[in-house]
Amino acid sequence: MRLRPPRSPLPLSVPALARAAMPVLLLACCLSCSSGGAVASGAPDGAPGVGDRLLPEAGNGGYDVSHYGLDLSYDPVGGRLSGTAVVSATATQSVSRFDLDLSGLTVGAVTVDGRPAKFRRFGTELTVQPARQLTRGDRFQATVTYAGVPQLLTDADGSHEGWFRTDDGALALGEPVGSMAWFPGNDHPSDKAAYDITVSVPAGLSVVSNGELAGTTTAGGRTAFHWRVTAPMATYLATVGIGHYDVTRGRTRSGVPLYEAVDPRSDDPRTAAAVKRLPEILDWESTLFGPYPFASSGVVVDHLPRGLGGYALETQNRPSFPGDSGPPAVQLDTLVHELSHQWFGDWVTPASWQDIWLNEGFATYAEWLWTQHEGGTSVDRSAADAFAAEATWAFPPAAPPSAAELFAAPVYSRGALVLYELRRAMGDRAFSTLLRTWPAAHAGGTADTADFTAFAQRLTTHDLTPLLRTWLYGKAKPAHL
């Protein structure tokens, strides 16, 4: 969920979402090269980008990642991050070189399968040339040693992502490409992987991340927290929170383990009241969307510097919320929204960024359902309000015109209206089946808009083509709801 940009710009880095408009700059600006010399040219290589329509330079071609092993150390006083990333992958074509996404940070060395590899930096691209050419189907491990002070990225809509430095630690938020601010990877939702994330911090601080806490070790005045993610996860959903937290463990009535890490200064009683209802919300959503897809759930609530962040994010199995960006820090409908993303966005992930409405449209519709469930505004009234709002009709939800509109109103409100109209056309029973079975149909994987529309059509004898042409792709506002 990226609904509210910050109050002031922060020119700390090349705009992450503007990279698509700067290919000449990225190719001309060599930031660093290995002492081993320049990477050779003329041989087959992986593409520095997957060709996403909105973010063509995001991600990389030529390989598929299966696992990230991150072993990191952080100094909150100086803001320095150092560590090693082991990227385990399979070549999807024969390549003599491949790219990883990494913004800022200084690379000390790169090896591939234990052998030194040549590398160079162009903008946010880390190009690696292994000692031997990789052939299609080869499994390999690229190990990158790096260090520096991670920075924030300024997106095309004026919002920020990446590594937020806090007064007692840090919080990493990475939608859509902010994960490259703190680890090298294939930074596109189409390539999901498992993770082991270990972060060493001064004793007395805590680290919270995705997945399950696999263990902690303390030595020499520092504590290392090891978090393990076994369910496939897109890079933009990875998070690390460092600081002082009040940690609460529990379970939902259906048995889902909970790990809730809340900054002790987040003392707004409305925040506590919202977080207290997390188990109830999760069980309620499970009745609508199918069994909760991950091994545990919870939240991270942290204080970010004022003017930065200001949005919640559906970081996998443990959504993140700002602790002081506006009262209340955690609103109940926002909690419903982010938890619903665990099915719509995290478990089944958009294949490209233009499919983001499959995340936000479903999550907005979940808010409408919850509000009605609570005895508030009906779904019909919520839909009518969205229909009446001028911002809803700026562009079709399945076709954001540029990266600057990636998180604009039509993606959310008009995306939800698509679902509202589908329910009316399909009928309650078929639509309820859609809500339960769509996440399971692409469990742990990715899907695009064409996958969804074909899936919906299979659940009904009603021809959905006119409806989808109007509500999903049409540029004009329909005459009536």
Side-chain angles (χ1 to χ4, degrees):
M1 182 179 192
R2 293 283 300 270
L3 288 176
R4 183 162 63 87
R7 291 182 286 271
S8 60
L10 182 70
L12 291 180
S13 64
V14 175
L17 296 186
R19 289 189 300 157
M22 302 177 65
V24 176
L25 175 62
L26 294 182
L27 290 174
C29 181
C30 180
L31 298 185
S32 65
C33 293
S34 70
S35 58
V39 176
S41 62
D45 57 338
V50 299
D52 190 286
R53 183 180 70 81
L54 296 178
L55 292 165
E57 297 301 317
N60 303 284
Y63 64 93
D64 179 76
V65 179
S66 59
H67 183 268
Y68 292 97
L70 307 179
D71 190 355
L72 310 175
S73 178
Y74 186 62
D75 172 23
V77 176
R80 180 178 173 83
L81 180 73
S82 61
T84 300
V86 180
V87 183
S88 301
T90 301
T92 57
Q93 65 184 63
S94 294
V95 294
S96 64
R97 62 179 182 245
F98 58 89
D99 281 31
L100 295 167
D101 298 303
L102 183 65
S103 177
L105 303 173
T106 300
V107 175
V110 180
T111 65
V112 176
D113 292 333
R115 302 177 65 183
K118 295 179 180 180
F119 66 92
R120 67 181 177 185
R121 302 289 297 279
F122 285 109
T124 58
E125 299 293 333
L126 170 61
T127 302
V128 177
Q129 180 181 326
R132 68 169 183 85
Q133 180 171 313
L134 301 171
T135 60
R136 182 177 180 180
D138 282 352
R139 296 180 179 180
F140 66 94
Q141 284 190 335
T143 302
V144 182
T145 302
Y146 60 101
V149 178
Q151 300 294 308
L152 287 178
L153 306 178
T154 303
D155 295 338
D157 63 359
S159 60
H160 306 131
E161 59 169 325
W163 190 268
F164 292 86
R165 189 173 174 184
T166 64
D167 57 1
D168 64 348
L171 181 66
L173 300 175
E175 188 181 31
V177 292
S179 71
M180 66 178 175
W182 60 285
F183 70 93
N186 195 13
D187 200 4
H188 190 267
S190 60
D191 192 358
K192 300 170 73 171
Y195 291 69
D196 279 276
I197 302 172
T198 301
V199 184
S200 170
V201 294
L205 294 181
S206 295
V207 178
V208 60
S209 186
N210 312 92
E212 317 308 316
L213 183 59
T216 61
T217 57
T218 299
R222 298 183 67 84
T223 302
F225 293 77
H226 176 195
W227 290 86
R228 176 166 292 152
V229 182
T230 56
M233 181 170 74
T235 51
Y236 82 91
L237 298 171
T239 188
V240 164
I242 300 170
H244 297 285
Y245 299 104
D246 289 335
V247 174
T248 303
R249 298 174 185 261
R251 288 182 180 271
T252 67
R253 286 189 176 182
S254 61
V256 177
L258 302 175
Y259 188 101
E260 299 165 355
V262 179
D263 190 305
R265 295 165 298 176
S266 301
D267 56 358
D268 190 317
R270 292 167 293 184
T271 294
V275 173
K276 187 176 181 180
R277 298 193 69 182
L278 187 153
E280 173 192 353
I281 295 168
L282 208 59
D283 282 344
W284 173 78
E285 290 185 336
S286 296
T287 66
L288 297 174
F289 310 140
Y292 178 71
F294 302 112
S296 70
S297 186
V299 294
V300 181
V301 180
D302 207 343
H303 276 242
L304 300 180
R306 289 200 174 274
L308 303 179
Y311 54 84
L313 190 62
E314 62 270 22
T315 44
Q316 187 158 303
N317 84 292
R318 196 158 287 111
S320 301
F321 299 87
D324 62 351
S325 297
V330 181
Q331 301 183 56
L332 196 57
D333 58 350
T334 306
L335 184 58
V336 170
H337 184 108
E338 303 308 331
L339 290 175
S340 69
H341 273 313
Q342 305 309 306
W343 287 265
F344 306 108
D346 295 12
W347 190 227
V348 52
T349 301
S352 69
W353 283 112
Q354 73 176 17
D355 302 306
I356 189 65
W357 82 273
L358 288 170
N359 292 15
E360 305 301 348
F362 272 99
T364 302
Y365 192 78
E367 288 186 60
W368 295 358
L369 290 173
W370 173 263
T371 302
Q372 178 174 274
H373 169 74
E374 288 279 278
T377 305
S378 68
V379 171
D380 289 341
R381 182 69 260 171
S382 293
D385 291 343
F387 183 84
E390 182 178 353
T392 298
W393 305 101
F395 57 84
S402 74
E405 288 80 32
L406 195 56
F407 305 106
V411 172
Y412 294 75
S413 56
R414 191 168 167 186
L417 284 174
V418 171
L419 300 174
Y420 179 78
E421 290 298 313
L422 280 175
R423 181 188 64 81
R424 297 210 295 186
M426 299 173 68
D428 288 343
R429 176 175 295 182
F431 184 71
S432 294
T433 300
L434 173 67
L435 291 181
R436 290 195 311 273
T437 58
W438 166 247
H442 296 276
T446 63
D448 60 20
T449 299
D451 293 325
F452 174 75
T453 56
F455 186 86
Q457 185 61 77
R458 288 195 293 270
L459 297 178
T460 180
T461 58
H462 185 94
D463 183 9
L464 300 177
T465 303
L467 182 157
L468 296 169
R469 184 184 299 122
T470 298
W471 293 89
L472 190 54
Y473 295 104
K475 294 183 179 180
K477 180 180 179 179
H480 55 80
L481 188 63

